Amino acid sequence: MILVNKENMEFHLHNSKISYIFNVMQNGQLGHLYFGKKLKHRDSFTHFFKKPIQGVGIIAHHKDDSAFSLEYYKQEFPSYGTTDFRKPAVKILQENGSRITDFKYDSHKIISGKPKVEGLPSTYVESSNEATTLEIKLIDSVLDCELYLTYTIYENRAVITRNSRLENKGNQKLIIENLMSTSIDFPDYDYQMIHLSGAWGRERHIKTRNLEKGCQYIDSTRGSSSAHQNPFIALKRKNTNEHSGEVFGFSLVYSGNFLAHIEVDHFDSSRVTMGINPFDFSWELNKNDIFQSPEAIMVYSDNGLNDMSHEYHSLFRERLVRGIWRDKERPILINNWEATYFDFNEDKLMKIVEESSKLGFELFVLDDGWFGERNGDDSSLGDWFVNEKKLPNGLSGLQEKISKYNMKLGLWFEPEMISEKSELFKKNPHWVLGVSDRTLSLGRNQYVLDLSFEEVQSYIIEIVGERIKEGKISYIKWDMNRNMTEITDKSKAHKYILGLYKILDTLTANFPEVLFESCASGGNRFDPGMLYYMQQTWTSDDTDAIERLKIQYGTSIVYPTITMGAHVSDVANHQTARITSLDIRNKVAFFGNFGYELDISKFSDSQKLEVKENLEYFKENRKLFQFGDFIRLSSPFESNFVSWMTVSSDKSEAIIGYYEILADANPTYNKKIKLKGLNEDFLYKINDEYEAYGDELMNMGIVFDQPHRYYSSDSQSLDFHGKLFKLTKIN
Ligand code: DGJ
C-alpha cells in the first residue's frame, strides 16, 4: 500500500479507493503532490510538481534557484520563518528568540500495521495486514530536533491517518508554540467548508460556507472539544450533495482545544491544518523530551457526504471504539434524571424500576444526586459516597433489588469536578484548577479539578472503582458540566486532557465489562477521543423529537448511530416545552442508542402498552438500528420532510424513518422517498403492505399515502408526525 519512487524521493500511499502522494523537495523539505481518488502508480509523479512563473515578489529560499520560494509550493508540513508566509504546521521558540525552523528529510520507515499513538487515543488495527504505516524522519540540524510524520493507510478504507511527533536531541530548551497533526495544500479553493456548530441543546448543526481568500477556521478554547464547534471539517465541491460529488473530511481524535484552519492564498491554493489549538498553548521540550500530537483522520470520497460519513462510521465503530461492548447490542436504558431530578429515594426509584422492567427495559441508570449531600447542583461533587438518607441500603442494596427485576444498574458520575460545598474541597482546595491571584469563575456552582495532578488522577481512579465494585455497576454515565477558566499556564489544558485520558485508560482496563457513556451537559465533548474510551456519548440534553432530527442528522455526518445516546422523554419537553406524540419520540430515538428518561410509573395503561410495543419493535430490529449502515436522505436543515434509513450490510433488511415537521394542507398524493443502498435485484416486502424491487425503491421511491387531513373537535394535530418503513428481502 506504500510505494516509494527512490529516484525522485516520492511516496505513494494507495489502496483500491484513494491515493496520497508527496515528495522530498529540492530543499529537503516535504512537498505535497496529490490526495484524492486512487491513481495508477507511476515511476515518477514529477509532472505534478509545477514551478511558479518567476515574477515580482518572489523571495528565493535557495540562492541557486531564484524561482524556488516556499510561498509558491504545495507542502506537506510547512515551517515558519523562511519564504512561506502562510500559517505553518510547526512553530518552535528557541533560546535566541527565533522561531525559524527548517525540517529536512532524513530517512523513512515502512511498518506493517499501525503503531499506537503514545499516550493518546487513536484508531487501531487487529492484525498487521489491515494497514501499512509510513514514518518520515525530518531533522532541523540547527536545533538538533527531530520531527516524525506518521501516515497510516488502511487496506479497504478511504482513510489516511496522520500524526506528528517532536524529539529534542539538542541542548537548548525549545518551546513548542504550534505542532499540528496534519497539514495539506490543495491546488484550488473551489470548495465549501462544512462544520458542525452549535451550543448546549442545539449541538452539531450543519453549517456550510464557501471558502474565501484569506483565513477561515473553527476552534475551541474551552478546554473541551465543545458543543460550539466539533473537531471536524469537510471540504466539498459546490455541487457535492449527500449522494454524489467530491468531499474531503478531517477529524481530530482529541477532546480538548483544537483548531481546524484553512488558508486560501493569492494563487488560490488552500492550506488545511488541524491539531491542538496553538492559541494559549505552549510546551517546553528539553533535551530528549518528546511531544506527540493527536491523530487526524482524513477521508476522501467522490460519492457524496453519505459515503464520507460511511467511512467515518465504519472506522469509528470497528477500529476506534474498543472493548467487549464494541460489537455488542447495547441495552435499552431508563434514566431517572428528568423523572425525579434530585428529589428521589429508594422507593421512588424502585417504582420506576418495577414498572420499566415489565415493559422490557434492561438497564436502570441512577443519575445525579445519589452521593454526599447532593440535593441541588450546588454541593458534593467530589464526595462520591452514597447518601444513605436517599439510599439506606447503599448501592449494593439497590443493585440487589434491581437485579430481582432482571435489570442492571448504571450510575452517574461527574468525576472531573468539585463543589466548594464538599468534604473534598475542605481537604484539598489546592486540587482546583485555576490561578491563585484571580477570582475563580463558577460554572453550575462548581470548579474543575486539576487532572494534571497525579494525586487527583489516583483519587478519581480509586473512588470510581470502589463504587463500581460496591454497586456491581454495569454502565457509567461520565458527565462534565462546565468549561475551563482561569487556566494557569499554556500547557495546562493539554496536560488536563492527558490526565483525563490516563484516568480513562486505567478505569476501562480495570473494568472491561462496564459500558461507558460520555456526557458533557449532553454533547459538549462528542469527539473521537472520548469514543476511544467510552463506547457511546449522550448526544444532547435536548430530547425534543423535532430538535433531535437536526441534532442526530448533524451528528451523523461523522459519528455512527450506535455512539449517539437518544432518549424518549416527557412532554411538555423540558428543553423546548413542545408537545409531541410518544409515537414520534420513539421513532426518532430508535435511530440512536435508544433509551427513556421519564417517570414511567406515572404513565396510563395505554401509554405503557405503547411503550412495551415500541421496545419490542426496537429489540426485534436492534441489530439493524445499531449496526446497520446509516444513510441520510432528506435534511431537516433544508426541508419540512426529513428522512433517513439504516440498511443491513447484506442489504436484506432496512428501516426508513420519515418525519413531517409541520402538516401542510391539501398535500400532494404523490409523495415518494427515493431510497439508497439497497440491492437493486432484491425483492423487498415493505411493512407487510406491498412488494417492490430494490431498483424501483431507489429510482421510483417508496410511495405512500398521506394521513387524511380533516377537522373534528377530537382530531389530532398532524404536526410532528413520523412513519417507519421496514423492508425485508423476500427469499
Ligand atoms: C447534565 C447531563 O447532560 C444530564 O443528562 C444530567 O445527567 C445532568 N447533567 C445531571 O446533573
Side-chain angles (χ1 to χ4, degrees):
M1 286 182 269
I2 298 179
L3 295 164
V4 184
N5 291 337
K6 288 227 170 81
E7 211 168 298
N8 311 313
M9 284 315 287
E10 291 168 346
F11 300 90
H12 183 188
L13 288 73
H14 66 96
N15 60 22
S16 59
K17 295 179 172 176
I18 53 168
S19 278
Y20 190 101
I21 308 170
F22 63 95
N23 68 343
V24 179
M25 298 190 294
Q26 66 191 79
N27 70 342
Q29 294 185 11
L30 297 184
H32 179 76
L33 294 178
Y34 177 80
F35 177 34
K37 200 174 170 77
K38 182 205 155 47
L39 301 178
K40 276 191 283 298
H41 185 67
R42 300 186 57 174
D43 291 344
S44 164
F45 289 103
T46 43
H47 54 292
F48 284 15
F49 195 64
K50 270 272 159 267
K51 282 196 169 189
I53 303 157
Q54 200 170 342
V56 184
I58 284 199
I59 305 176
H61 179 68
H62 235 252
K63 65 178 183 333
D64 304 337
D65 185 348
S66 57
F68 188 81
S69 171
L70 290 172
E71 188 178 6
Y72 298 92
Y73 282 77
K74 313 271 172 299
Q75 291 168 67
E76 199 53 25
F77 211 73
S79 302
Y80 172 76
T82 59
T83 57
D84 191 344
F85 300 92
R86 292 166 291 179
K87 298 285 179 292
V90 53
K91 198 154 128 202
I92 299 172
L93 174 64
Q94 297 137 52
E95 284 175 355
N96 66 0
S98 161
R99 290 176 174 83
I100 303 163
T101 52
D102 185 6
F103 284 101
K104 291 187 191 304
Y105 171 85
D106 173 82
S107 55
H108 70 270
K109 260 198 311 208
I110 294 177
I111 306 155
S112 29
K114 185 173 191 293
K116 242 180 104 51
V117 179
E118 246 354 278
L120 289 165
S122 63
T123 55
Y124 57 89
V125 290
E126 286 196 332
S127 79
S128 60
N129 54 13
E130 280 179 34
T132 309
T133 297
L134 170 65
E135 186 183 85
I136 306 271
K137 178 178 177 185
L138 303 137
I139 297 183
D140 183 312
S141 55
V142 174
L143 304 182
D144 203 1
C145 183
E146 297 169 357
L147 169 64
Y148 293 85
L149 301 183
T150 305
Y151 301 75
T152 297
I153 182 159
Y154 279 89
E155 201 188 356
N156 294 314
R157 302 177 191 274
V159 170
I160 302 272
T161 68
R162 283 185 64 175
N163 69 74
S164 56
R165 186 173 84 241
L166 279 171
E167 298 191 14
N168 185 1
K169 301 290 178 197
N171 290 321
Q172 64 167 310
K173 177 167 91 185
L174 301 176
I175 309 286
I176 305 172
E177 295 188 333
N178 176 17
L179 181 69
M180 290 285 108
S181 299
T182 190
S183 177
I184 179 166
D185 286 350
F186 288 97
D188 67 277
Y189 78 115
D190 192 17
Y191 290 107
Q192 292 181 320
M193 163 179 162
I194 297 184
H195 55 112
L196 303 173
S197 163
W200 174 85
R202 49 177 169 81
E203 296 85 355
R204 289 170 299 285
H205 283 202
I206 301 173
K207 300 285 168 201
T208 307
R209 48 169 124 152
N210 292 340
L211 287 194
E212 268 310 333
K213 292 277 173 126
C215 294
Q216 39 252 287
Y217 67 91
I218 55 150
D219 73 342
S220 169
T221 55
R222 293 168 179 268
S224 72
S225 51
S226 91
H228 308 79
Q229 300 289 355
N230 198 258
F232 162 82
I233 54 168
L235 292 193
K236 73 168 193 71
R237 296 294 181 188
K238 292 192 177 113
N239 59 1
T240 297
N241 58 30
E242 288 285 16
H243 311 295
S244 67
E246 267 203 313
V247 56
F248 297 85
F250 299 83
S251 161
L252 192 68
V253 189
Y254 189 58
S255 311
N257 294 340
F258 74 93
L259 172 71
H261 189 280
I262 304 173
E263 181 167 4
V264 180
D265 75 8
H266 46 290
F267 284 126
D268 299 349
S269 85
S270 315
R271 170 170 295 170
V272 179
T273 52
M274 186 179 232
I276 293 177
N277 199 346
F279 175 83
D280 208 29
F281 167 83
S282 73
W283 197 272
E284 204 176 292
L285 207 66
N286 292 301
K287 192 177 173 79
N288 293 327
D289 282 354
I290 297 175
F291 183 83
Q292 172 65 58
S293 83
E295 173 169 289
I297 302 172
M298 310 195 302
V299 164
Y300 170 76
S301 171
D302 60 346
N303 290 312
L305 296 175
N306 266 308
D307 192 49
M308 174 199 71
S309 302
H310 175 73
E311 290 290 346
Y312 279 117
H313 292 180
S314 64
L315 179 70
F316 288 1
R317 219 167 45 203
E318 294 158 14
R319 293 293 180 264
L320 175 68
V321 168
R322 299 171 306 152
I324 56 168
W325 282 102
R326 185 188 72 184
D327 304 323
K328 260 185 133 156
E329 291 180 19
R330 309 286 165 81
I332 306 179
L333 65 82
I334 182 150
N335 174 305
N336 74 309
W337 178 239
E338 289 197 1
T340 65
Y341 292 105
F342 296 103
D343 180 20
F344 61 83
N345 56 29
E346 196 185 88
D347 286 347
K348 224 178 185 179
L349 299 181
M350 284 314 297
K351 266 198 198 114
I352 298 177
V353 170
E354 209 180 313
E355 283 307 323
S356 53
S357 71
K358 287 186 216 152
L359 305 180
F361 288 94
E362 297 157 325
L363 168 71
F364 172 73
V365 179
L366 174 53
D367 211 281
D368 196 354
W370 56 267
F371 51 92
E373 299 289 320
R374 181 98 165 157
N375 295 311
D377 65 13
D378 63 342
S379 86
S380 302
L381 293 173
D383 297 347
W384 302 107
F385 303 98
V386 175
N387 179 337
E388 289 182 358
K389 283 184 217 137
K390 291 183 183 178
L391 301 173
N393 300 304
L395 286 177
S396 57
L398 182 68
Q399 188 275 332
E400 264 170 45
K401 287 191 175 177
I402 290 175
S403 67
K404 299 219 168 83
Y405 291 94
N406 232 349
M407 283 174 75
K408 306 265 188 215
L409 174 61
L411 197 59
W412 179 95
F413 281 96
E414 195 178 359
E416 299 166 59
M417 298 289 151
I418 182 165
S419 309
E420 195 160 358
K421 270 201 256 164
S422 69
E423 293 306 312
L424 190 69
F425 188 84
K426 276 188 215 149
K427 259 193 261 154
N428 298 300
H430 59 289
W431 282 9
V432 172
L433 178 92
V435 273
S436 53
D437 58 349
R438 298 271 168 200
T439 311
L440 295 187
S441 313
L442 274 174
R444 210 192 186 208
N445 299 305
Q446 65 203 45
Y447 299 123
V448 181
L449 282 171
D450 191 334
L451 263 53
S452 67
F453 295 161
E454 273 182 26
E455 47 181 346
V456 175
Q457 296 166 11
S458 309
Y459 174 74
I460 295 175
I461 291 168
E462 201 181 309
I463 201 95
V464 173
E466 276 173 17
R467 294 296 82 81
I468 294 177
K469 285 189 213 144
E470 182 187 327
K472 297 201 176 115
I473 302 300
S474 309
Y475 156 108
I476 285 182
K477 178 174 174 187
W478 185 288
D479 210 345
M480 194 282 291
N481 282 300
R482 62 157 291 179
N483 290 134
M484 292 178 201
T485 53
E486 292 86 35
I487 293 174
T488 36
D489 66 73
K490 287 175 150 199
S491 61
K492 189 57 98 180
H494 182 57
K495 282 184 181 152
Y496 178 99
I497 296 294
L498 293 181
L500 172 65
Y501 288 157
K502 207 165 132 198
I503 293 167
L504 297 178
D505 220 20
T506 313
L507 280 172
T508 50
N510 291 352
F511 300 99
E513 69 292 348
V514 173
L515 173 63
F516 280 86
E517 180 150 340
S518 160
C519 171
S521 308
N524 195 32
R525 211 164 49 184
F526 201 140
D527 59 62
M530 295 309 284
L531 284 177
Y532 178 76
Y533 301 102
M534 308 210 183
Q535 300 88 349
Q536 51 197 61
T537 302
W538 179 226
T539 312
S540 172
D541 273 352
D542 187 348
T543 46
D544 173 80
I546 302 307
E547 292 278 292
R548 274 299 185 118
L549 290 173
K550 285 188 175 158
I551 295 170
Q552 290 173 208
Y553 194 98
T555 305
S556 80
I557 290 281
V558 196
Y559 305 98
T561 47
I562 194 168
T563 64
M564 288 184 218
H567 297 176
V568 172
S569 62
D570 219 342
V571 289
N573 178 270
H574 292 203
Q575 292 74 35
T576 61
R578 185 178 281 127
I579 297 181
T580 54
S581 65
L582 191 52
D583 185 63
I584 192 169
R585 280 176 274 155
N586 278 294
K587 285 176 177 158
V588 175
F590 282 161
F591 289 87
N593 217 313
F594 185 54
Y596 268 55
E597 57 181 279
L598 44 71
D599 191 348
I600 206 93
S601 64
K602 293 191 179 136
F603 266 30
S604 67
D605 286 347
S606 67
Q607 283 174 313
K608 282 183 192 158
L609 183 64
E610 194 177 338
V611 173
K612 193 165 184 266
E613 285 168 0
N614 273 291
L615 263 58
E616 279 162 9
Y617 181 83
F618 184 77
K619 283 180 189 169
E620 272 164 35
N621 296 293
R622 175 160 31 194
K623 193 151 179 249
L624 186 52
F625 279 123
Q626 298 193 333
F627 294 94
D629 293 333
F630 183 77
I631 305 175
R632 295 176 300 272
L633 298 173
S634 167
S635 166
F637 298 101
E638 289 164 12
S639 169
N640 186 41
F641 310 105
V642 181
S643 54
W644 53 41
M645 63 188 282
T646 175
V647 195
S648 61
S649 53
D650 65 0
K651 300 183 186 302
S652 65
E653 282 187 312
I655 296 179
I656 294 88
Y658 170 77
Y659 313 92
E660 281 188 25
I661 300 174
L662 294 179
D664 47 353
N666 192 14
T668 172
Y669 58 92
N670 224 354
K671 198 131 209 95
K672 293 190 275 303
I673 318 169
K674 284 193 185 180
L675 306 185
K676 297 279 172 187
L678 303 174
N679 183 316
E680 53 186 29
D681 299 322
F682 285 0
L683 182 63
Y684 294 95
K685 188 172 69 180
I686 298 125
N687 279 358
D688 287 327
E689 285 165 15
Y690 73 107
E691 292 171 8
Y693 281 102
D695 62 349
E696 296 167 54
L697 293 165
M698 292 193 287
N699 296 307
M700 169 69 181
I702 281 195
V703 191
F704 59 96
D705 296 330
Q706 286 284 347
H708 190 53
R709 270 87 166 142
Y710 64 94
Y711 173 76
S712 75
S713 55
D714 63 350
S715 61
Q716 300 263 319
S717 165
L718 285 175
D719 289 347
F720 319 134
H721 79 268
K723 205 168 160 51
L724 296 185
F725 302 92
K726 169 86 191 270
L727 269 52
T728 318
K729 182 193 167 204
I730 301 169
N731 288 325

